[in-house]
Amino acid sequence: ESVQGRQAAVVAFEEQALPRLIRSPTNVPMQGTATIEVASGRVLRTSLTFKLASPYGSTTAAIDVVYAVEPRSQLLLPSRMDERYTAIQNGLSSVILSGRARYSRFRQFAVDVTQTAGEVAPPAK
């Protein structure tokens, strides 16, 4: 597909290894897609879904992240994240919670560390 004028491939995946990235009592695997720019291999968009079921109902989480080039650093960074949580009880949608985060004004921090040789103090008693 084409994303922001770039040729992209969509790769679907399902988590296989244990422990899971998101742990649950039944070790449910996470599923999702990654939209990857063909020319560079950069990830442009990710979509994750996770469904936790119990005898009383289920909860589904969907997390979508869009990445964009940050103008000052020229790094590909998250620009938007949408989260949606749906709880189902007795076959009816009982709770829907959604949110959107927008990311901007990225800053780069640096730490300068120097080390000097010296005597090591004995441990305190």
Side-chain angles (χ1 to χ4, degrees):
E1 72 180 55
S2 179
V3 176
Q4 302 166 1
R6 301 177 180 134
Q7 174 93 21
V10 178
V11 177
F13 63 89
E14 181 172 337
E15 193 174 26
Q16 300 294 313
L18 292 173
R20 304 289 190 208
L21 290 176
I22 299 174
R23 295 181 185 202
S24 68
T26 56
N27 284 319
V28 176
M30 183 173 35
Q31 301 173 334
T33 60
T35 304
I36 302 168
E37 183 178 31
V38 174
S40 68
R42 296 190 302 178
V43 176
L44 303 175
R45 187 171 50 218
T46 57
S47 179
L48 305 174
T49 58
F50 178 83
K51 186 173 185 177
L52 187 60
S54 77
Y56 309 105
S58 66
T59 300
T60 302
I63 303 169
D64 300 313
V65 181
V66 175
Y67 302 85
V69 175
E70 196 278 324
R72 290 185 304 182
S73 68
Q74 291 299 302
L75 294 173
L76 195 62
L77 299 171
S79 64
R80 187 182 78 224
M81 178 175 68
D82 294 306
E83 294 184 74
R84 192 172 45 265
Y85 301 91
T86 307
I88 307 286
Q89 265 186 317
N90 301 322
L92 301 172
S93 176
S94 59
V95 176
I96 298 175
L97 175 65
S98 63
R100 172 173 281 178
R102 294 183 189 268
Y103 302 97
S104 62
R105 298 185 61 215
F106 291 98
R107 293 172 297 282
Q108 186 174 1
F109 297 93
V111 176
D112 187 19
V113 177
T114 57
Q115 187 175 12
T116 57
E119 289 186 33
V120 176
K125 292 186 179 181

